[in-house]
């Protein structure tokens, strides 16, 4: 029986370690929990790429700004957009717009970017999560984070522009503040 348990332990460690690889090295101050109706999405913030945008996202998150906001634009195979308190795609926070912090980081599946108008320096509170690679966005929008766990829940967000029955952010919090 002990040989069976040893073999089981070895197999379990081989199978489970990749699922949790990277989770333990996340900095709680630079990690977001995005709770959706289907589950929790864990986001690694990228202050190395966009320090002002990360600062803004954390400030709004800590203020509870994102709690209850809908995903107003969700395009299957492209991205899910949220962060507008009006739900129309035209609103933002009361804070001033941010200057662009473009980088060489590519827009791949799971990457988070800031939405903006045609003015590169107009990002405020709206952001999007990529469903697939979007190379045409590279160097045109600010990358500020990446999903490290729970992308399957992002995939379940109701699609549409706007969706007939839009999904909401149940709660968003900085991991360091989570209780």
């Amino acid at each position: 029986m002990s040989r069976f348990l040893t073999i089981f332990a070895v197999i379990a460690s081989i199978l489970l370690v990749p699922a949790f690889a990277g989770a333990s090295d996340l900095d709680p101050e630079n990690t977001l929990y995005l709770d959706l109706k289907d589950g929790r999405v864990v986001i690694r913030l990228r202050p190395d790429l966009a320090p002002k945008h990360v600062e803004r996202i954390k400030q709004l998150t800590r203020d509870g700004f994102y709690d209850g906001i809908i995903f107003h634009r969700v395009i299957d195979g492209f991205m899910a957009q949220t962060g507008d308190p009006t739900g129309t795609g035209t609103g933002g926070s009361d804070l001033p717009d941010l200057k662009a912090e473009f980088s060489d980081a590519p827009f791949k599946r799971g990457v988070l970017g800031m939405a903006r108008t045609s003015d590169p320096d107009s990002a405020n509170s709206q952001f999007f999560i990529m469903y697939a690679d979007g190379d045409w966005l590279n160097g045109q929008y600010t990358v500020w984070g990446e999903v490290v766990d729970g992308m399957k829940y992002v995939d379940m967000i109701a699609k549409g522009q706007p969706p007939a029955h839009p999904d909401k952010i149940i709660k968003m919090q900085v991991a360091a503040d989570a209780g």
Side-chain angles (χ1 to χ4, degrees):
M1 187 66 153
S2 65
R3 183 172 180 205
F4 171 77
L5 291 176
T6 302
I7 292 170
F8 177 78
V10 169
I11 291 171
S13 68
I14 291 169
L15 294 175
L16 294 177
V17 168
F20 297 106
S24 62
D25 66 348
L26 291 176
D27 170 12
E29 188 57 38
N30 285 304
T31 303
L32 292 180
Y33 295 147
L34 173 64
D35 293 331
L36 304 176
K37 70 176 178 11
D38 294 304
R40 174 169 282 178
V41 179
V42 180
I43 299 163
R44 173 182 293 138
L45 299 175
R46 297 293 309 268
D48 58 315
L49 299 177
K52 297 293 185 192
H53 285 74
V54 167
E55 180 182 322
R56 169 68 56 85
I57 293 291
K58 287 180 2 180
Q59 177 183 1
L60 291 173
T61 297
R62 286 185 161 128
D63 290 345
F65 177 85
Y66 292 109
D67 298 350
I69 290 190
I70 68 165
F71 285 87
H72 64 272
R73 184 172 179 235
V74 186
I75 304 171
D76 195 22
F78 178 32
M79 60 87 212
Q81 186 170 332
T82 186
D84 174 7
T86 71
T88 64
T90 61
S93 76
D94 292 334
L95 299 173
D97 290 346
L98 295 166
K99 290 200 171 286
E101 293 180 290
F102 300 155
S103 69
D104 292 333
F107 278 89
K108 296 182 175 184
R109 176 173 166 76
V111 164
L112 286 92
M114 287 300 276
R116 61 172 178 79
T117 67
S118 59
D119 177 358
D121 298 329
S122 62
N124 186 288
S125 62
Q126 292 189 44
F127 65 88
F128 56 91
I129 306 171
M130 298 297 292
Y131 283 127
D133 295 356
D135 295 342
W136 67 94
L137 300 176
N138 294 349
Q140 305 295 314
Y141 291 81
T142 299
V143 171
W144 60 267
E146 59 192 339
V147 173
V148 295
D149 190 36
M151 192 62 194
K152 63 185 174 189
Y153 304 125
V154 176
D155 290 335
M156 298 169 143
I157 296 171
K159 312 297 186 277
Q161 296 186 68
H165 304 284
D167 285 332
K168 295 180 180 183
I169 295 174
I170 305 298
K171 183 174 187 74
M172 195 157 100
Q173 56 191 329
V174 177
D177 303 337

